[in-house]
Amino acid sequence: MESIYNNILQIDGNTSRPTVIFNASTGQLRLMGRSILENSIRFYEPILKWIDEYIKHPAEKTEFHMALEYFNTSTSKYLLQIMQQFESMFRSGPDVSIVWYYSDEDMKDLGLDYQQIIRVPFEFRALEESKK
């Protein structure tokens, strides 16, 4: 279920869909859980549109917390698009960072791959830290 209330985008996750909590007021944008969707475009298009609007009036500091324990190939395309939006924002001046949580070395390596593509400051944390 998706809801936008007071500049907050919230989507409840399940076993195949991630939880999304994007708060425009605080600049804390969280994507958590698993993303193994049948129809990734239907899920991620509203998120991309929300970010497009957010970029117009961002918080003083934006942190994208990417805490997916697993995602499929179609999700990886949308993650890249999301991070490209943050890169565009970062190039225009606002304080933006990506906090990449990983559960194992493979997930950390994926984050390092994105870090090579996206010119935004990255921070890496063990997945347990996303629950704090």
Side-chain angles (χ1 to χ4, degrees), residues 30-127:
R30 298 183 179 278
L31 184 65
M32 306 167 286
R34 297 171 63 83
S35 183
I36 46 176
L37 302 159
E38 293 285 324
N39 188 345
S40 294
I41 190 167
R42 195 169 89 209
F43 182 80
Y44 283 101
E45 282 300 319
I47 294 170
L48 293 168
K49 288 179 184 169
W50 189 93
I51 295 169
D52 280 339
E53 290 302 310
Y54 172 76
I55 287 172
K56 294 174 185 174
H57 304 285
E60 191 173 310
K61 179 176 172 75
T62 299
E63 288 184 351
F64 175 53
H65 293 263
M66 210 304 293
L68 293 178
E69 58 191 58
Y70 180 81
F71 57 89
N72 61 10
T73 304
S74 65
T75 296
S76 65
K77 169 187 165 188
Y78 290 99
L79 290 177
L80 180 59
Q81 287 181 31
I82 288 168
M83 288 185 268
Q84 286 171 330
Q85 287 176 301
F86 294 130
E87 181 179 40
S88 171
M89 190 171 110
F90 179 72
R91 281 189 302 215
S92 67
D95 187 358
V96 180
S97 64
I98 295 171
V99 183
W100 184 278
Y101 296 87
Y102 59 92
S103 54
D104 57 34
E105 287 303 310
D106 290 338
M107 284 301 288
K108 185 175 185 181
D109 288 344
L110 283 170
L112 292 168
D113 290 344
Y114 281 110
Q115 184 183 34
Q116 295 299 313
I117 299 167
I118 303 298
R119 298 296 175 210
V120 173
F122 269 72
E123 180 180 336
F124 292 89
R125 297 181 187 169
L127 192 56

